[in-house]
Amino acid sequence: MHVVVNAATSADGKLSSRRREQIPISGDADFTRVDRLRADSDAVVVGVGTVLADDPHLTVKEEALIDERRDRGEPAHPARVVVDSRARTPTDAAVLDDAATTYVCTSERATIDDRMDLADRAELVTAGDDRVDLLRAFATLQAQGLERIMVEGGGELIFSLFEDGLVDELRVFVGPTVIGGRDAPTLADGEGFVADFPTLELESLERVGEGALLTWRTANG
């Protein structure tokens, strides 16, 4: 399995404002790049916070890319994965429509009723007691043939993936915007590291539109 974390941050490293509202950080050139990355993936992963804040569809937008997937014998869109320890994903969320297969990874902490409601709309993966055990959940996804994984956030999930050593590659578009705010979400939130900090190797740096795209490899990659 190869896991790519993809994110867009402001120049000061924020994902959105302190109100958790979506901020226009990137432009058309980066949207095209992200759409290509989705089209080349087997699954797109987000945390439930992203679903609750943005209600994303997580599908490929460009028809030519959809055609390429079909020509390769793949579904029109990659599978969608929501990491949701307490099964809080609304049953009418866009990510649960029938455009593509959706997996919801949850834990034993979620009530049986909430899990059963989601099981009517998605493939349920229960891994972990109080929170999703990402190592187990990703192993289950890999067993389903999902090898090329794209992670689109948010910061809590990204931190947890680094904590568990699951990230192979980090791609960050840095936009020409300053958001600020001590409570604004950053690329990797969670508890934070105090030792054994993950190290990255810069693979490339390129200008994309009015911003810059940095591609890093981890020791896994």
Side-chain angles (χ1 to χ4, degrees):
M1 177 180 281
H2 186 82
V3 178
V4 178
V5 171
N6 182 79
T9 73
S10 60
D12 58 327
K14 306 296 185 181
L15 295 177
S16 66
S17 73
R18 59 184 172 83
R19 295 178 178 174
R20 307 279 165 159
E21 297 170 339
Q22 205 168 29
I23 302 295
I25 293 173
S26 59
D28 290 344
D30 192 55
F31 294 153
T32 299
R33 178 190 67 83
V34 172
D35 205 32
R36 163 60 71 180
L37 186 54
R38 280 186 187 170
D40 289 341
S41 301
D42 296 324
V44 179
V45 182
V46 295
V48 67
T50 298
V51 172
L52 295 174
D54 303 333
D55 195 25
H57 202 205
L58 303 181
T59 53
V60 178
K61 310 305 181 191
E62 179 60 48
E63 287 295 332
L65 295 177
I66 292 173
D67 289 342
E68 285 183 19
R69 288 183 58 87
R70 286 176 170 150
D71 288 344
R72 296 195 299 264
E74 299 174 354
H77 306 284
R80 300 166 297 186
V81 180
V82 182
V83 177
D84 181 4
S85 295
R86 289 183 286 160
R88 294 185 294 149
T89 302
T91 54
D92 62 350
V95 75
L96 296 180
D97 68 10
D98 59 3
T101 301
T102 300
Y103 296 84
V104 177
C105 301
T106 188
S107 72
E108 298 290 351
R109 180 182 181 186
T111 68
I112 294 293
D113 287 345
D114 287 341
R115 278 187 269 167
M116 292 305 296
D117 286 344
L118 286 175
D120 289 337
R121 304 294 306 278
E123 300 292 329
L124 210 61
V125 176
T126 302
D129 295 326
D130 190 56
R131 54 180 292 190
V132 174
D133 182 327
L134 291 171
L135 289 168
R136 283 174 53 194
F138 273 48
T140 299
L141 297 175
Q142 187 174 26
Q144 297 298 312
L146 306 179
E147 294 285 350
R148 300 165 298 168
I149 308 297
M150 174 188 183
V151 179
E152 293 200 26
E156 297 277 346
L157 173 60
I158 291 172
F159 170 78
S160 295
L161 290 167
F162 272 108
E163 187 178 36
D164 286 343
L166 286 167
V167 180
D168 297 290
E169 191 175 341
L170 174 64
R171 299 184 188 185
V172 183
F173 174 86
V174 181
T177 304
V178 173
I179 295 175
R182 66 177 62 87
D183 296 323
T186 64
L187 177 69
D189 285 335
E191 294 182 3
F193 295 102
V194 295
D196 299 323
F197 304 100
T199 56
L200 307 172
E201 180 180 347
L202 184 63
E203 183 175 82
S204 64
L205 169 61
E206 60 183 295
R207 181 165 185 157
V208 177
E210 295 302 312
L213 175 66
L214 292 87
T215 300
W216 307 84
R217 294 277 181 175
T218 71
N220 300 336

